[in-house]
Amino acid sequence: MTDTQVQTVVDKIVDGNRRMLARAITLVESTKPDHRAQAQDVLQALPTDRQALRIGLSGTPGVGKSTFIENFGMMLVGKGLKVAVLAVDPSSSRSGGSILGDKTRMDLLSRHPNAFIRPSPSQSQLGGVARRTREATALCEAAGYDVVLIETVGVGQSETMVADMSDLFILLMAPAGGDELQGVKRGIMEMADMILINKSDGDLKAAATRTCADYAGALRMLRKRAQDPADFPKAVMVSALAQSGLEDAWSDMQTLSDWRKDQGIWAANRARQAQFWFEEEVRQMVLSALAQHGQAGALMANLSDAVAGGQIPPSIAAQHVIAAFLDKNPQ
Amino acid sequence: MTDTQVQTVVDKIVDGNRRMLARAITLVESTKPDHRAQAQDVLQALPTDRQALRIGLSGTPGVGKSTFIENFGMMLVGKGLKVAVLAVDPSSSRSGGSILGDKTRMDLLSRHPNAFIRPSPSQSQLGGVARRTREATALCEAAGYDVVLIETVGVGQSETMVADMSDLFILLMAPAGGDELQGVKRGIMEMADMILINKSDGDLKAAATRTCADYAGALRMLRKRAQDPADFPKAVMVSALAQSGLEDAWSDMQTLSDWRKDQGIWAANRARQAQFWFEEEVRQMVLSALAQHGQAGALMANLSDAVAGGQIPPSIAAQHVIAAFLDKNPQ
């Protein structure tokens, strides 16, 4: 693309052209080298004066994440805010995502003119999925979205990556029996700015109250973080289905983000995140160079058979490939 | 270590010396170069005539995984089998694992002389955690364990990695409401050889029956895989707490693994897995070489500040680092 073409794309995104935003995200998600180059041009030309509140949202299947996003998102658009929903879903890499698409589970929000919902990119590496989602977040910010919800599932590396691209990280939990708290890992608890106990209604109200107290207690056990004002991180009860507690949760999120902006913590966090993703880009690019290296590639193909046949252990074979790669650069 | 020393270590492991097994796993998990070299020597000297049944086991927190391992493991040792339990837990990388240690939740099994329980290694990269667990599996096999249970949490990359080091991959699920099935990703379903619906007892029995039928239906929707005999993959009900269904589940696992051995699928699967881990080793080694490269490392440090300050986008800065790394090799 010429500079003029790039500027046209950027102008349309900034003007709120949803079609162009969607096309730019598709460009960003592409693995083709020329698409990547074009995506880089667009990303560099984006204005930097718009900042959304980036909210990372995690919760295991069955916790009611889609209902939460639907009703929390509808509440936000009801306040005149523009809301984008993105996803980092490593499990979609094998076969293209959930059995039902996300949009069918966010019926109202997906049809609202001030909402933009985009499913997870499907790539073979979690790192690739996450990097592209972070770039999609930058595009949504430039397009004037006030809140970008970045959802992820599970209890693992994908949550760490989403936390590393978010201003706030929210954990959505279901009411549970007394001994189930043990299953939540300390590492995930330590990333959370808020824990929302969902389904706090009807028959589950009592269990939710207990669970909320348990998590509040567990949060108090963790060491104090510099990025937390008094009372944070906190555990609160919500019911996405009954639409209760959502206003208070949003109010808490605003209190927290305002405080962090005042303290300079917000900006410092974004700077640290930029460094993290820089290092991640370096890692991915060197792997890509290795994959394209003629001699190391040929050696890998040959040794792969020997490894499969048990003649040579994987780690010894790998040392031969690395030697070929490092001796022979540039190609 | 001299060859004689290596052989002494291997002999003790093969003799069933638990202390030596634990020490060898510690060596394998170490990130120090001299420990890694010693670990390689030991791994290469292991006998290859012992094969355990490697069972990958995944389930989200709260599903009753620890109780399942405790009672399923006790059933197996009751049959005279030796059982090792390993874990791949990426979330332990930030802060050292779950709030309560695994062993306290597997009280009987952890004290049984024919059982060996080892928590997840803590490393900064999921790939590192998984590679070391795979090597620990090889050590347990050499030590004569008949079954190696490799547990993991969550719904993401860690499950893929555990499936890639297992002969069987089992998904443990809780009874759920009718619409929660949607939350299970197709990619995870496609990896499963069996889905066990846990907590199929008491008040939850009816919900478990419904959930089991739902999953059985969902499994039928997936395409047939070459590695499945008739009736597999299957969904069955168990109650780890009430110790019901565990014998049948074990019988199913044996049926499946015997069939795969007969068909040559077992061996082909292990060969394919060796290739996968070879490629993973190559990836990790090239990243390690980059980290140790003087000029690229210095450039990374310099550019990191510019990236944090927003003067240069992460991906452009990364291109400069890669150029320095590839032009200047070997160091």
Side-chain angles (χ1 to χ4, degrees), chain B residues 218-245:
Chain B
L219 287 174
R220 280 191 297 270
M221 282 170 54
L222 300 176
R223 67 170 185 278
K224 194 75 187 161
R225 304 179 305 178
Q227 68 263 41
D228 298 320
D231 300 331
F232 284 91
K234 61 163 68 175
V236 302
M237 291 190 282
V238 301
S239 167
L241 198 63
Q243 301 180 36
S244 69

Side-chain angles (χ1 to χ4, degrees), chain B residues 63-132:
Chain B
V63 79
K65 204 146 37 48
S66 301
T67 308
F68 178 81
I69 294 172
E70 166 89 339
N71 287 338
F72 187 71
M74 285 306 291
M75 181 193 75
L76 295 179
V77 297
K79 295 178 188 297
L81 297 170
K82 289 183 69 181
V83 177
V85 181
L86 306 174
V88 173
D89 178 4
S91 66
S92 70
S93 62
R94 277 219 176 175
S95 55
S98 55
I99 291 175
L100 295 184
D102 286 321
K103 287 197 181 185
T104 64
R105 297 190 281 151
M106 299 169 197
D107 190 40
L108 291 173
L109 192 63
S110 65
R111 289 184 286 124
H112 196 284
N114 281 343
F116 180 85
I117 299 182
R118 179 86 180 190
S120 181
S122 54
Q123 294 202 5
S124 57
Q125 291 272 335
L126 170 59
V129 174
R131 280 185 301 154
R132 302 299 78 97

